[in-house]
Amino acid sequence: MWQDVANIWRKEMVTTVRDRKGMTQAILVPLIIAVFYASFTPLLNKAMFERSQKPLVIPAVGVEYADPKLLDTMHEFGITLEEYGGDLEHAVERGDKESGLVFEPGFSENLADEQPAQVRLITNSTAGGVFGGAFSDSRLRLAVSTFNQKVAAERVVAYGVDPSALLPVVLETEDVATPEQEGALWASFYLPILVAVVLAQSGLFVAIDVTAGEKERGTLDALLVTPASDWAILLGKMGAVFVTGIIPLFLSLTAFWVVSNLMPSVAAVEQGALPLFVLWGSLLIGIPMALVMSVAQMIASVRARTFRDAQSAASPLVFAMMIPGFIAAFAPPKALWPCFIPLYGPFAALSRMTQAGHLQWDSIGLATLGSLVAAAVLTAVAARLFDRERLLYSS
Amino acid sequence: MIEVRDLVKHYGDVRAVDGVSFVCPNGQVTGLLGPNGAGKTTTLRMICGLIRPMRGTVVVDGHDVKKDPSSVRRSLGVQTDSAGVYPRLTPREHLRYYGGFYGLSGNELERRIDEIIEILGMDEFADRRAQGFSRGQRQKVILGRALVHNPNNIIMDEPTSGLDVMAVRETRSMIRTLSDKGHCVLFTTHYMDEAARLCDKIAIIIRGRIAAFGSPQQLMEETGRNSLEDAFVQLAGGEEGLLVSGHSGNDGSNDHPAAASGQDQPERESVGADAGMGRR
């Protein structure tokens, strides 16, 4: 039997590798997704940091009424006020300006009299895109808040009060995260999603080709009249789907790790190196999960008559894989037992490991066991569907 | 030798095959003739062990298909009715793949592949991928994969369907040669002239039952007709009888798998159509 399994596997691999279009899609798409996920957060951090450091010129009306000390504080935050001659509110509304300040006459006098001195902030949070108006606002608010604290401190000192009375609570922060945990922080969010996306689509075209494809080409009968047993046919084809599922997984995880470790040197915000254990851990839990997905993809496509029918039949599997991945990414479990739940468990284990900052063999073991149980059950179902008579009449 | 004994297969109320028995001896060509939906393909599939008979059995070279389907398949070379090949494999790779299922490997397999390529005249395209092959080229690949393990018993389901004149002549010549070499050949066809020319024995299957079995001459004598085509029409219950069996199953319905899949329908005008028999 194993000779027939090897024969079928070999042939399926040869025809798969020769399908250049299919192979390009199967390898390139996961690589692109991996590079995107690995670079997204560091590049976002970089953009945010650069935006926060960039000198900010804010149009203002009535700058002459502003208190010089306020202008000095704003300078400290890289903000320069520039007198605006036109209709500031209209300009901000149109998005020509991200935000602006309007000082009313008497601002400095009110400030000196310890009366509320009002300045109006006109803002458009959508102007300038994601890194636009909202960023200007927060810097302006921070500058004004800092100025308020300074003035308040000066006033209480003048009344003979200790300025520390203005700070009843002092919050001291100590970040005890290890470098590994810091490095794996974003991976704990992106990796479950990456593994889900890659496994959901990588072996699919091969699963369809070795099942519905045989029917569509008219080659199924010829295979069924050979002495190869139903099991040999199932296992040979399953092996090909499995291998073509884990190769893109390996490539995408490697790309994710490499790009993640290249990114911090590009980004101005240090996020820490992504530890190697993340790569091994993902592979260890991804391989049994690829087995589950291989069988599920074959079950979904074996009853279809054409490639297109099989694609429709197998498409819900993408969600069956991605939804648990997203759940684990957004709400990583604290307990160990959820790692056993098929489909969800491996993602839970991945999330737990990346958050812990080291390999967790109990999580890996439980996730692997859950996946193997699921694979065994699905293989038993597939074996029923790969009965010759059923196969014949499903075509 | 293929011995078919009282084969029965029903699909619900439809009696696709209803007590079919015949024997195909070694060194002879046996034709299985019948209108569309008569039960030919279902019978062939039961012989190959693809479908489990409800009753009866098939014995191929002493192996019972119910007890030992794997040995039966090992003794058979089957040319299926669909002309499908793997577009990304060459004919040589096709033969290597199928030869592997019969325990052939190494030099023995390569020698056999070379023989098949030479016998079937595939030298020119043996190492070209099958994408874009003509129907005739594909048919040669299909015939080659059926013969690669040099089986004693060869089953061909409409082997000349859709082929051009030269390819039809080559295929017929091949069938005769195989028979002369002592192989047992069982084939289905819709072409009565082909059956008359090639077959030593003919089994006519109508509505899942064997309506007649004998040499073409015997069938003509029994019916008192001058041509096999006329004999066939009479045995089928006249042209009206063929219309019924060609359109539907035994109970007049049309939904048993063989009939529903249209697998018995020839790709070009069949004798049935020539004779005015209705086709779906």
Side-chain angles (χ1 to χ4, degrees):
Chain A
M1 176 178 126
W2 293 108
Q3 200 178 340
D4 291 339
V5 173
N7 191 24
I8 293 168
W9 179 83
R10 199 180 309 117
K11 176 252 155 192
E12 298 298 359
M13 289 306 296
V14 167
T15 52
T16 300
V17 169
R18 286 180 183 173
D19 178 7
R20 283 189 194 169
K21 200 173 160 190
M23 280 303 286
T24 307
Q25 192 183 339
I27 289 175
L28 214 57
V29 171
L31 278 180
I32 291 170
I33 294 171
V35 170
F36 174 76
Y37 282 170
S39 57
F40 180 75
T41 301
L43 291 179
L44 186 68
N45 285 340
K46 182 172 183 279
M48 287 166 66
F49 179 79
E50 284 175 358
R51 185 66 175 85
S52 67
Q53 298 298 308
K54 193 178 160 189
L56 200 60
V57 178
I58 297 290
V61 175
V63 180
E64 71 270 22
Y65 306 125
D67 187 87
K69 284 181 183 170
L70 174 62
L71 298 180
D72 289 344
T73 306
M74 287 197 173
H75 274 299
E76 288 169 20
F77 284 85
I79 300 170
T80 308
L81 299 187
E82 189 179 72
E83 184 66 32
Y84 189 76
D87 184 346
L88 183 58
E89 194 166 337
H90 193 56
V92 175
E93 189 184 333
R94 279 201 313 268
D96 294 344
K97 301 289 178 187
E98 293 167 5
S99 50
L101 292 175
V102 178
F103 292 92
E104 301 296 337
F107 178 87
S108 294
E109 289 76 10
N110 285 340
L111 195 65
D113 295 343
E114 297 185 5
Q115 295 297 311
Q118 282 198 346
V119 57
R120 193 154 63 99
L121 171 63
I122 302 167
T123 186
N124 182 345
S125 57
T126 63
V130 176
F131 305 114
F135 269 75
S136 306
D137 283 6
S138 58
R139 264 166 86 181
L140 279 169
R141 287 175 198 281
L142 192 62
V144 171
S145 172
T146 305
F147 177 73
N148 279 342
Q149 284 174 20
K150 279 185 191 172
V151 173
E154 285 170 8
R155 286 177 182 174
V156 294
V157 167
Y159 288 118
V161 178
D162 185 350
S164 63
L166 293 172
L167 292 171
V169 176
V170 178
L171 183 67
E172 278 187 23
T173 307
E174 186 185 356
D175 190 349
V176 294
T178 63
E180 288 77 16
Q181 285 174 316
E182 284 177 346
L185 175 65
W186 282 106
S188 72
F189 178 78
Y190 283 117
L191 267 182
I193 298 173
L194 175 67
V195 171
V197 170
V198 171
L199 285 182
Q201 66 94 39
S202 57
L204 185 59
F205 87 99
V206 182
I208 295 174
D209 192 58
V210 302
T211 50
E214 289 265 21
K215 296 175 192 175
E216 201 169 16
R217 278 190 301 268
T219 48
L220 181 66
D221 286 20
L223 176 61
L224 298 182
V225 296
T226 65
S229 66
D230 296 349
W231 272 103
I233 294 171
L234 169 64
L235 294 178
K237 287 176 178 292
M238 214 168 90
V241 180
F242 174 62
V243 170
T244 47
I246 57 170
I247 289 173
L249 178 69
F250 176 76
L251 291 175
S252 60
L253 286 172
T254 307
F256 184 86
W257 184 75
V258 169
V259 175
S260 293
N261 283 304
L262 286 176
M263 278 296 130
S265 60
V266 176
V269 178
E270 191 64 45
Q271 74 159 23
L274 182 64
L276 191 59
F277 84 85
V278 170
L279 180 65
W280 294 121
S282 305
L283 271 176
L284 283 173
I285 63 143
I287 289 171
M289 199 155 46
L291 189 62
V292 176
M293 206 53 191
S294 309
V295 197
Q297 286 167 338
M298 288 185 67
I299 289 173
S301 25
V302 73
R303 297 189 69 81
R305 292 175 188 211
T306 63
F307 214 94
R308 187 168 289 193
D309 285 349
Q311 275 181 316
S312 305
S315 55
L317 287 177
V318 175
F319 299 105
M321 187 60 97
M322 286 177 64
I323 290 170
F326 274 91
I327 292 172
F330 282 97
K334 299 273 181 244
L336 178 64
W337 67 266
C339 296
F340 181 73
I341 302 170
L343 290 180
Y344 172 72
F347 298 122
L350 194 53
S351 231
R352 279 169 54 86
M353 278 192 297
T354 44
Q355 286 194 335
H358 57 83
L359 276 180
Q360 288 183 327
W361 292 107
D362 51 356
S363 299
I364 293 173
L366 213 53
T368 302
L369 189 64
S371 293
L372 290 179
V373 169
V377 171
L378 289 175
T379 304
V381 174
R384 281 181 60 80
L385 297 173
F386 268 75
D387 166 80
R388 277 177 156 77
E389 199 163 335
R390 280 174 194 263
L391 268 183
L392 208 59
Y393 286 129
S394 64
S395 65
Chain B
M1 183 165 76
I2 300 170
E3 298 165 75
V4 178
R5 297 172 187 163
D6 193 26
L7 277 187
V8 173
K9 186 72 179 180
H10 296 176
Y11 294 100
D13 294 335
V14 180
R15 286 165 287 167
V17 174
D18 198 17
V20 165
S21 300
F22 59 88
V23 175
C24 313
N26 289 340
Q28 287 195 7
V29 179
T30 306
L32 188 60
L33 273 58
N36 294 332
K40 299 189 299 293
T41 299
T42 306
T43 303
L44 290 188
R45 285 177 166 177
M46 283 193 279
I47 293 172
C48 300
L50 297 182
I51 302 174
R52 281 174 287 274
M54 297 169 84
R55 202 180 71 204
T57 191
V58 176
V59 177
V60 180
D61 290 347
H63 303 292
D64 189 321
V65 75
K66 277 184 168 174
K67 294 173 186 162
D68 191 3
S70 179
S71 294
V72 167
R73 287 189 209 112
R74 213 168 280 282
S75 308
L76 292 172
V78 183
Q79 185 194 19
T80 52
D81 62 338
S82 57
V85 293
Y86 298 110
R88 294 189 286 273
L89 291 187
T90 67
R92 190 183 295 279
E93 288 166 337
H94 273 87
L95 300 180
R96 202 172 283 141
Y97 176 52
Y98 286 97
F101 291 120
Y102 299 91
L104 297 174
S105 61
N107 289 338
E108 185 192 6
L109 175 59
E110 296 305 320
R111 210 169 28 247
R112 181 64 188 154
I113 291 170
D114 288 340
E115 273 175 33
I116 295 284
I117 289 170
E118 193 185 336
I119 292 168
L120 296 178
M122 295 198 290
D123 308 70
E124 278 185 19
F125 57 92
D127 296 303
R128 252 173 49 203
R129 290 190 194 168
Q131 181 90 49
F133 273 14
S134 68
R135 170 93 193 192
Q137 287 171 321
R138 291 206 304 271
Q139 199 75 351
K140 284 186 177 181
V141 176
I142 292 165
L143 185 56
R145 75 190 179 197
L147 301 177
V148 67
H149 56 295
N150 195 20
N152 185 44
N153 307 281
I154 295 141
I155 292 176
M156 297 172 161
D157 199 359
E158 298 182 26
T160 57
S161 175
L163 296 183
D164 62 29
V165 177
M166 291 308 293
V168 166
R169 287 172 70 96
E170 282 178 25
T171 306
R172 287 174 181 169
S173 165
M174 172 64 65
I175 291 172
R176 208 57 261 180
T177 305
L178 288 165
S179 168
D180 292 344
K181 286 184 176 174
H183 293 275
C184 160
V185 181
L186 170 63
F187 84 110
T188 69
T189 182
H190 281 277
Y191 309 129
M192 293 298 146
D193 59 330
E194 182 172 273
R197 195 179 305 172
L198 285 175
C199 295
D200 298 296
K201 290 282 166 51
I202 291 173
I204 293 181
I205 184 167
I206 307 286
R207 296 171 204 162
R209 291 170 180 266
I210 297 293
F213 184 78
S215 67
Q217 193 59 38
Q218 282 173 324
L219 296 180
M220 285 188 281
E221 284 171 6
E222 272 178 27
T223 54
R225 300 288 177 170
N226 291 328
S227 72
L228 184 61
E229 186 176 317
D230 290 341
F232 174 76
V233 172
Q234 182 172 325
L235 286 164
E239 292 188 7
E240 283 183 9
L242 274 176
L243 271 171
V244 171
S245 56
H247 273 282
S248 60
N250 292 354
D251 61 351
S253 72
N254 197 10
D255 57 355
H256 72 79
S261 64
Q263 283 148 345
D264 279 346
Q265 294 190 38
E267 289 195 359
R268 70 182 187 200
E269 287 294 294
S270 71
V271 169
D274 291 339
M277 289 183 263
R279 293 177 61 200
R280 279 172 287 142

